[in-house]
Amino acid sequence: MKHVVVLTGAGMSAESGLKTFRDENGLWEGHDVMKVATPEGFARNPELVLEFYNQRRRQLLKVEPNSAHYDLAQLENNYKVSIITQNVDDLHERAGSSNVVHLHGELLKARSSFNESDIMDWKTDLVTGDTCSQGYQMRPHIVWFGEAVPMIDNAINICTTADILMIIGTSMQVYPAASLMHYVPENTPTFFIDPKPAFESQSNITVIAEPATTGVKKVLKRL
């Protein structure tokens, strides 16, 4: 079976009702990113950070996967499919995709602020006083700005084995995620789906300037 590697970003989930990560002035849902998405921000005001992610988590639990999520899950009937996502939601999994790598963490998990490998499922609000087995405060299982991306090496290894690459709903501006397309074998057929694509069609790159739900369907027809 041919191996389809899919890189997804915020635009993948936008049509499910989840807002994209941050707007052009650096704010995320009206918050300064540096205050709610950095270790320093968490150290300075843990209550603000925890409540920010509580709101994101509540929002996530109210939305459903869109047709693009389901279409990618169906692709597994005919291909080996690996999804590498910058998204912290679980919509790929809920739609039925079986091989999903989360580069930036997962909103429905929490981890110890002391031992980063102490991770647990978490679907309710996370508050100060919620501690791990060693007594340390739990924090969102999210890769914040300035932190290492632990899954990046795994993602690179996946990309090196791609027969087909799909990039959906991401500006390819956030590193190290943006570097992943450079690890696929040379001349790999690549489909870039985004309403505001960051680049134009080239010899092996087909750009589809559309939202995920319609763009994915077009790629699947071609495949």
Side-chain angles (χ1 to χ4, degrees):
M1 293 176 90
K2 285 194 170 182
H3 186 195
V4 179
V5 175
V6 188
L7 308 179
T8 68
M12 182 76 205
S13 299
E15 292 171 274
S16 290
L18 292 180
K19 293 182 181 177
T20 51
F21 174 60
R22 54 181 168 152
D23 52 32
E24 289 166 0
N25 58 11
L27 295 179
W28 188 6
E29 305 264 341
H31 291 271
D32 180 343
V33 169
M34 291 299 122
K35 291 181 179 175
V36 295
T38 62
E40 295 79 11
F42 184 61
R44 196 177 302 117
N45 192 340
E47 290 86 359
L48 172 72
V49 175
L50 292 176
E51 179 54 25
F52 175 80
Y53 289 97
N54 288 340
Q55 291 173 13
R56 308 285 78 71
R57 194 180 301 107
R58 290 178 216 137
Q59 181 190 32
L60 172 57
L61 292 171
K62 291 177 182 175
V63 304
E64 299 292 339
N66 59 55
S67 65
H69 291 106
Y70 287 109
D71 286 342
L72 290 180
Q74 289 296 311
L75 196 58
E76 293 187 17
N77 293 335
N78 303 101
Y79 295 89
K80 176 186 176 184
V81 181
S82 300
I83 295 176
I84 301 168
T85 186
Q86 299 174 62
N87 299 337
V88 296
D89 62 62
D90 66 335
L91 298 181
H92 282 300
E93 289 91 341
R94 273 197 254 166
S97 288
S98 62
N99 185 17
V100 184
V101 174
H102 286 269
L103 285 180
H104 296 157
E106 298 179 63
L107 194 50
L108 298 184
K109 291 184 178 179
R111 74 171 189 251
S112 167
S113 57
F114 174 72
N115 176 7
E116 62 183 40
S117 62
D118 184 357
I119 303 164
M120 59 184 76
D121 292 332
W122 204 282
K123 292 191 174 181
T124 58
D125 283 1
L126 182 60
V127 298
T128 51
D130 287 329
T131 56
C132 69
S133 58
Q134 293 175 280
Y136 292 92
Q137 174 66 42
M138 297 295 289
R139 53 160 278 183
H141 181 48
I142 303 290
V143 176
W144 286 329
F145 289 98
E147 293 185 322
V149 180
M151 299 303 291
I152 193 67
D153 287 341
N154 184 20
I156 289 171
N157 289 335
I158 290 169
C159 286
T160 62
T161 65
D163 295 305
I164 299 165
L165 177 67
M166 293 172 64
I167 303 170
I168 308 168
T170 170
S171 63
M172 298 304 287
Q173 304 294 314
V174 178
Y175 285 84
S179 67
L180 288 174
M181 66 179 296
H182 303 301
Y183 288 96
V184 300
E186 198 171 353
N187 297 319
T188 297
T190 299
F191 299 92
F192 187 96
I193 303 166
D194 194 86
K196 298 178 181 176
F199 40 78
E200 297 178 352
S201 293
Q202 301 164 29
S203 56
N204 65 308
I205 300 177
T206 302
V207 174
I208 300 172
E210 295 185 24
T213 52
T214 57
V216 171
K217 280 182 171 43
K218 287 191 173 179
V219 174
L220 264 53
K221 278 185 180 178
R222 295 194 190 192
L223 295 182

